[in-house]
Amino acid sequence: MMKSEVLVARKVFPPVLERLRRHFEVEANEADTIWDSAELTRRLQGKAGAFTTGSERIDGALLAACPRLRAVCNMAVGYNNIDVDACTARGVLVTNTPEVLTETTADFGFALMMAAARRMAESERFLRSGEWKKWSYDMFTGSDVHGSTLAILGMGRIGQAIARRGALGFGMKVIYHNRARLPAAVEAPLNARYVERDALFREADHLLLVVPYSPASHHAVGATELALMKPTATLTNIARGGVVDDAALAQALRERRIAAAGLDVFEGEPRVHPYLLAVPNVVLTPHIASATVATRLAMADLAADNLIAALGCGPHAGRPPTPVNPGVLTGR
Ligand code: DGY
């Protein structure tokens, strides 16, 4: 039987690529170049499947130009790089990689929040620059994490994993806001209290953003929300660039209207707003919340499992483990 053709749009772990080659004719992006839409469209000609990451934009125009495409398997839990409705309309299956990164991403979100609260990046820069001459009573005093109020915007799997760390490990009071309130049985062990949106900003000692990006969550945190926050509060974004208005945040940080921020994601990344680079009270990391070897391998394996099954191969042929638009499968 002729093997289907697939495109692996970014560099991946060699064993994952090998596994895909057992089932497909694979065109792989060994140079790990970021292809623009025109190049991606050209490379996808004749391909039945695409293994993508958050850096590839799959939209209606691309789909129209790639009529043989049947599956787009994203190596990420987020899929705001993909127009899912356009895929569904054309019978293209979309898959993502939930669950496998939940705990790793929660670890990182918590660490970033702690780094912001305890001024780790700022104080490390101070030490490295040779400015540390003596101990002093108020040097890099930050705000406590233990016993404080942890506010979570977006209480999905990762939000809940962060809440667990805060409530059980650090005795934090957990408040959250979400599209829908969680069942009491989920709230109870997390000691989590649902609050209205404005109350979340007002009551937060440490605000964690974990909402998926969509037009509805664009600039969910801007000047208005930042103005509600305590001057001692921190904000940590591990969701997506665009959930925060980066310019408004930089301004609030510069004027110390909030104490500090931890940011792993940025509007228009890998570009970072120059004002954010210029303020000291922010910890900046390059979109690495899920970046442990084990978790990135699990994500790549899951994306490959999805692609293999979506194109009718392997032990789960026709039943990809984590579809985003499963309705497409029933129509096949
Ligand atoms: C995800 O899985 O969505 C992470 O942000 C990595 O892109």
Side-chain angles (χ1 to χ4, degrees), residues 53-54 75-80 97 101 105 238-240 264-265 287 289-290 296 299:
T53 70
M75 183 186 149
V77 66
Y79 45 84
N80 56 301
T97 60
L101 48 59
T105 304
I238 55 164
R240 276 288 182 274
D264 187 48
V265 287
H287 201 146
S290 64
R296 284 286 167 84
M299 291 164 69

PDB file of all heavy atoms in Angstrom, residues 53-54 75-80 97 101 105 238-240 264-265 287 289-290 296 299, ligand 1:
ATOM      1  N   THR A  53       3.343  22.936  15.315  1.00  0.00           N
ATOM      2  CA  THR A  53       3.520  23.496  16.657  1.00  0.00           C
ATOM      3  C   THR A  53       2.812  24.851  16.652  1.00  0.00           C
ATOM      4  O   THR A  53       2.264  25.244  15.618  1.00  0.00           O
ATOM      5  CB  THR A  53       5.015  23.712  16.978  1.00  0.00           C
ATOM      6  OG1 THR A  53       5.495  24.783  16.160  1.00  0.00           O
ATOM      7  CG2 THR A  53       5.845  22.466  16.735  1.00  0.00           C
ATOM      8  N   GLY A  54       2.899  25.550  17.745  1.00  0.00           N
ATOM      9  CA  GLY A  54       2.218  26.854  17.820  1.00  0.00           C
ATOM     10  C   GLY A  54       2.731  27.867  16.815  1.00  0.00           C
ATOM     11  O   GLY A  54       2.098  28.900  16.599  1.00  0.00           O
ATOM     12  N   MET A  75       1.524  19.948  18.281  1.00  0.00           N
ATOM     13  CA  MET A  75       2.284  19.533  19.462  1.00  0.00           C
ATOM     14  C   MET A  75       2.196  20.665  20.495  1.00  0.00           C
ATOM     15  O   MET A  75       3.167  21.373  20.762  1.00  0.00           O
ATOM     16  CB  MET A  75       3.738  19.256  19.078  1.00  0.00           C
ATOM     17  CG  MET A  75       4.588  18.761  20.230  1.00  0.00           C
ATOM     18  SD  MET A  75       6.318  18.632  19.752  1.00  0.00           S
ATOM     19  CE  MET A  75       7.123  18.991  21.310  1.00  0.00           C
ATOM     20  N   ALA A  76       1.021  20.836  21.046  1.00  0.00           N
ATOM     21  CA  ALA A  76       0.745  21.879  22.046  1.00  0.00           C
ATOM     22  C   ALA A  76      -0.662  21.628  22.552  1.00  0.00           C
ATOM     23  O   ALA A  76      -1.499  21.080  21.820  1.00  0.00           O
ATOM     24  CB  ALA A  76       0.813  23.272  21.417  1.00  0.00           C
ATOM     25  N   VAL A  77      -0.905  22.046  23.784  1.00  0.00           N
ATOM     26  CA  VAL A  77      -2.289  21.948  24.267  1.00  0.00           C
ATOM     27  C   VAL A  77      -3.123  23.074  23.672  1.00  0.00           C
ATOM     28  O   VAL A  77      -4.287  22.899  23.337  1.00  0.00           O
ATOM     29  CB  VAL A  77      -2.344  21.911  25.814  1.00  0.00           C
ATOM     30  CG1 VAL A  77      -1.872  23.218  26.439  1.00  0.00           C
ATOM     31  CG2 VAL A  77      -3.745  21.586  26.303  1.00  0.00           C
ATOM     32  N   GLY A  78      -2.495  24.243  23.496  1.00  0.00           N
ATOM     33  CA  GLY A  78      -3.193  25.374  22.884  1.00  0.00           C
ATOM     34  C   GLY A  78      -3.245  25.197  21.380  1.00  0.00           C
ATOM     35  O   GLY A  78      -2.334  24.605  20.786  1.00  0.00           O
ATOM     36  N   TYR A  79      -4.300  25.697  20.754  1.00  0.00           N
ATOM     37  CA  TYR A  79      -4.399  25.556  19.298  1.00  0.00           C
ATOM     38  C   TYR A  79      -4.955  26.835  18.669  1.00  0.00           C
ATOM     39  O   TYR A  79      -5.658  26.795  17.668  1.00  0.00           O
ATOM     40  CB  TYR A  79      -5.226  24.313  18.914  1.00  0.00           C
ATOM     41  CG  TYR A  79      -6.503  24.138  19.693  1.00  0.00           C
ATOM     42  CD1 TYR A  79      -7.664  24.803  19.319  1.00  0.00           C
ATOM     43  CD2 TYR A  79      -6.538  23.326  20.817  1.00  0.00           C
ATOM     44  CE1 TYR A  79      -8.833  24.655  20.046  1.00  0.00           C
ATOM     45  CE2 TYR A  79      -7.692  23.173  21.562  1.00  0.00           C
ATOM     46  CZ  TYR A  79      -8.830  23.835  21.169  1.00  0.00           C
ATOM     47  OH  TYR A  79      -9.987  23.695  21.888  1.00  0.00           O
ATOM     48  N   ASN A  80      -4.600  27.969  19.272  1.00  0.00           N
ATOM     49  CA  ASN A  80      -5.060  29.248  18.719  1.00  0.00           C
ATOM     50  C   ASN A  80      -4.351  29.597  17.410  1.00  0.00           C
ATOM     51  O   ASN A  80      -4.722  30.555  16.742  1.00  0.00           O
ATOM     52  CB  ASN A  80      -4.884  30.373  19.742  1.00  0.00           C
ATOM     53  CG  ASN A  80      -3.464  30.491  20.226  1.00  0.00           C
ATOM     54  OD1 ASN A  80      -2.930  29.533  20.777  1.00  0.00           O
ATOM     55  ND2 ASN A  80      -2.838  31.616  20.020  1.00  0.00           N
ATOM     56  N   THR A  97      -2.407  18.383  22.464  1.00  0.00           N
ATOM     57  CA  THR A  97      -1.729  17.482  23.413  1.00  0.00           C
ATOM     58  C   THR A  97      -2.066  17.849  24.866  1.00  0.00           C
ATOM     59  O   THR A  97      -1.201  18.327  25.615  1.00  0.00           O
ATOM     60  CB  THR A  97      -0.199  17.500  23.211  1.00  0.00           C
ATOM     61  OG1 THR A  97       0.284  18.843  23.411  1.00  0.00           O
ATOM     62  CG2 THR A  97       0.195  17.034  21.830  1.00  0.00           C
ATOM     63  N   LEU A 101       1.098  17.578  29.670  1.00  0.00           N
ATOM     64  CA  LEU A 101       1.937  18.704  30.112  1.00  0.00           C
ATOM     65  C   LEU A 101       1.394  19.416  31.336  1.00  0.00           C
ATOM     66  O   LEU A 101       1.973  20.399  31.806  1.00  0.00           O
ATOM     67  CB  LEU A 101       2.139  19.701  28.956  1.00  0.00           C
ATOM     68  CG  LEU A 101       0.932  20.155  28.150  1.00  0.00           C
ATOM     69  CD1 LEU A 101      -0.133  20.817  28.969  1.00  0.00           C
ATOM     70  CD2 LEU A 101       1.367  21.052  27.020  1.00  0.00           C
ATOM     71  N   THR A 105       3.668  22.131  33.413  1.00  0.00           N
ATOM     72  CA  THR A 105       3.327  23.537  33.176  1.00  0.00           C
ATOM     73  C   THR A 105       2.911  24.208  34.484  1.00  0.00           C
ATOM     74  O   THR A 105       3.257  25.368  34.736  1.00  0.00           O
ATOM     75  CB  THR A 105       2.216  23.618  32.110  1.00  0.00           C
ATOM     76  OG1 THR A 105       2.685  22.930  30.948  1.00  0.00           O
ATOM     77  CG2 THR A 105       1.878  25.043  31.741  1.00  0.00           C
ATOM     78  N   ILE A 238       1.198  32.471  31.938  1.00  0.00           N
ATOM     79  CA  ILE A 238       1.707  31.285  31.228  1.00  0.00           C
ATOM     80  C   ILE A 238       0.677  30.839  30.196  1.00  0.00           C
ATOM     81  O   ILE A 238       0.741  29.720  29.697  1.00  0.00           O
ATOM     82  CB  ILE A 238       2.035  30.107  32.186  1.00  0.00           C
ATOM     83  CG1 ILE A 238       0.818  29.733  33.047  1.00  0.00           C
ATOM     84  CG2 ILE A 238       3.247  30.417  33.037  1.00  0.00           C
ATOM     85  CD1 ILE A 238       0.944  28.371  33.700  1.00  0.00           C
ATOM     86  N   ALA A 239      -0.298  31.728  29.899  1.00  0.00           N
ATOM     87  CA  ALA A 239      -1.378  31.342  28.988  1.00  0.00           C
ATOM     88  C   ALA A 239      -0.932  31.539  27.539  1.00  0.00           C
ATOM     89  O   ALA A 239      -0.402  30.618  26.905  1.00  0.00           O
ATOM     90  CB  ALA A 239      -2.630  32.133  29.314  1.00  0.00           C
ATOM     91  N   ARG A 240      -1.134  32.731  27.036  1.00  0.00           N
ATOM     92  CA  ARG A 240      -0.718  33.085  25.681  1.00  0.00           C
ATOM     93  C   ARG A 240      -0.466  34.580  25.643  1.00  0.00           C
ATOM     94  O   ARG A 240      -1.134  35.344  26.354  1.00  0.00           O
ATOM     95  CB  ARG A 240      -1.823  32.773  24.664  1.00  0.00           C
ATOM     96  CG  ARG A 240      -1.867  31.345  24.167  1.00  0.00           C
ATOM     97  CD  ARG A 240      -0.707  31.038  23.216  1.00  0.00           C
ATOM     98  NE  ARG A 240      -0.771  29.680  22.694  1.00  0.00           N
ATOM     99  CZ  ARG A 240      -0.265  28.606  23.302  1.00  0.00           C
ATOM    100  NH1 ARG A 240       0.340  28.719  24.459  1.00  0.00           N
ATOM    101  NH2 ARG A 240      -0.358  27.409  22.738  1.00  0.00           N
ATOM    102  N   ASP A 264       5.864  34.264  30.598  1.00  0.00           N
ATOM    103  CA  ASP A 264       6.462  33.226  29.748  1.00  0.00           C
ATOM    104  C   ASP A 264       5.989  33.365  28.308  1.00  0.00           C
ATOM    105  O   ASP A 264       6.509  32.692  27.424  1.00  0.00           O
ATOM    106  CB  ASP A 264       6.080  31.842  30.303  1.00  0.00           C
ATOM    107  CG  ASP A 264       6.802  30.705  29.583  1.00  0.00           C
ATOM    108  OD1 ASP A 264       8.037  30.808  29.409  1.00  0.00           O
ATOM    109  OD2 ASP A 264       6.131  29.728  29.176  1.00  0.00           O
ATOM    110  N   VAL A 265       4.972  34.197  28.093  1.00  0.00           N
ATOM    111  CA  VAL A 265       4.371  34.345  26.762  1.00  0.00           C
ATOM    112  C   VAL A 265       4.137  35.832  26.485  1.00  0.00           C
ATOM    113  O   VAL A 265       3.907  36.601  27.418  1.00  0.00           O
ATOM    114  CB  VAL A 265       3.046  33.547  26.665  1.00  0.00           C
ATOM    115  CG1 VAL A 265       3.293  32.059  26.588  1.00  0.00           C
ATOM    116  CG2 VAL A 265       2.132  33.866  27.843  1.00  0.00           C
ATOM    117  N   HIS A 287       8.776  31.242  26.602  1.00  0.00           N
ATOM    118  CA  HIS A 287       7.720  30.249  26.324  1.00  0.00           C
ATOM    119  C   HIS A 287       8.227  28.819  26.585  1.00  0.00           C
ATOM    120  O   HIS A 287       8.277  27.988  25.682  1.00  0.00           O
ATOM    121  CB  HIS A 287       7.223  30.398  24.872  1.00  0.00           C
ATOM    122  CG  HIS A 287       5.853  29.813  24.659  1.00  0.00           C
ATOM    123  ND1 HIS A 287       4.935  30.346  23.780  1.00  0.00           N
ATOM    124  CD2 HIS A 287       5.243  28.729  25.202  1.00  0.00           C
ATOM    125  CE1 HIS A 287       3.826  29.624  23.788  1.00  0.00           C
ATOM    126  NE2 HIS A 287       3.997  28.636  24.656  1.00  0.00           N
ATOM    127  N   ALA A 289       7.162  26.931  29.543  1.00  0.00           N
ATOM    128  CA  ALA A 289       6.456  26.343  30.693  1.00  0.00           C
ATOM    129  C   ALA A 289       6.350  24.817  30.596  1.00  0.00           C
ATOM    130  O   ALA A 289       6.392  24.123  31.608  1.00  0.00           O
ATOM    131  CB  ALA A 289       5.077  26.969  30.842  1.00  0.00           C
ATOM    132  N   SER A 290       6.242  24.285  29.396  1.00  0.00           N
ATOM    133  CA  SER A 290       6.129  22.822  29.272  1.00  0.00           C
ATOM    134  C   SER A 290       7.474  22.159  28.973  1.00  0.00           C
ATOM    135  O   SER A 290       7.535  20.960  28.681  1.00  0.00           O
ATOM    136  CB  SER A 290       5.128  22.462  28.166  1.00  0.00           C
ATOM    137  OG  SER A 290       5.601  22.905  26.900  1.00  0.00           O
ATOM    138  N   ARG A 296       8.185  17.302  26.899  1.00  0.00           N
ATOM    139  CA  ARG A 296       8.219  17.618  25.463  1.00  0.00           C
ATOM    140  C   ARG A 296       8.197  16.314  24.645  1.00  0.00           C
ATOM    141  O   ARG A 296       7.573  16.255  23.584  1.00  0.00           O
ATOM    142  CB  ARG A 296       9.441  18.465  25.135  1.00  0.00           C
ATOM    143  CG  ARG A 296       9.277  19.919  25.581  1.00  0.00           C
ATOM    144  CD  ARG A 296       8.302  20.658  24.649  1.00  0.00           C
ATOM    145  NE  ARG A 296       7.866  21.939  25.191  1.00  0.00           N
ATOM    146  CZ  ARG A 296       8.529  23.083  25.087  1.00  0.00           C
ATOM    147  NH1 ARG A 296       9.697  23.122  24.467  1.00  0.00           N
ATOM    148  NH2 ARG A 296       8.033  24.186  25.609  1.00  0.00           N
ATOM    149  N   MET A 299       4.647  15.095  24.658  1.00  0.00           N
ATOM    150  CA  MET A 299       3.823  15.909  23.750  1.00  0.00           C
ATOM    151  C   MET A 299       4.061  15.493  22.292  1.00  0.00           C
ATOM    152  O   MET A 299       3.113  15.340  21.505  1.00  0.00           O
ATOM    153  CB  MET A 299       4.163  17.402  23.919  1.00  0.00           C
ATOM    154  CG  MET A 299       3.723  17.991  25.234  1.00  0.00           C
ATOM    155  SD  MET A 299       4.520  19.586  25.594  1.00  0.00           S
ATOM    156  CE  MET A 299       3.773  20.642  24.355  1.00  0.00           C
TER     157      MET A 299
HETATM  158  C1  DGY B   1       1.144  24.619  24.662  1.00  0.00           C
HETATM  159  O1  DGY B   1       1.203  23.402  24.751  1.00  0.00           O
HETATM  160  O2  DGY B   1       0.134  25.210  24.280  1.00  0.00           O
HETATM  161  C2  DGY B   1       2.374  25.369  25.036  1.00  0.00           C
HETATM  162  O3  DGY B   1       2.156  26.735  25.109  1.00  0.00           O
HETATM  163  C3  DGY B   1       3.507  25.055  24.077  1.00  0.00           C
HETATM  164  O4  DGY B   1       3.249  25.696  22.876  1.00  0.00           O
END
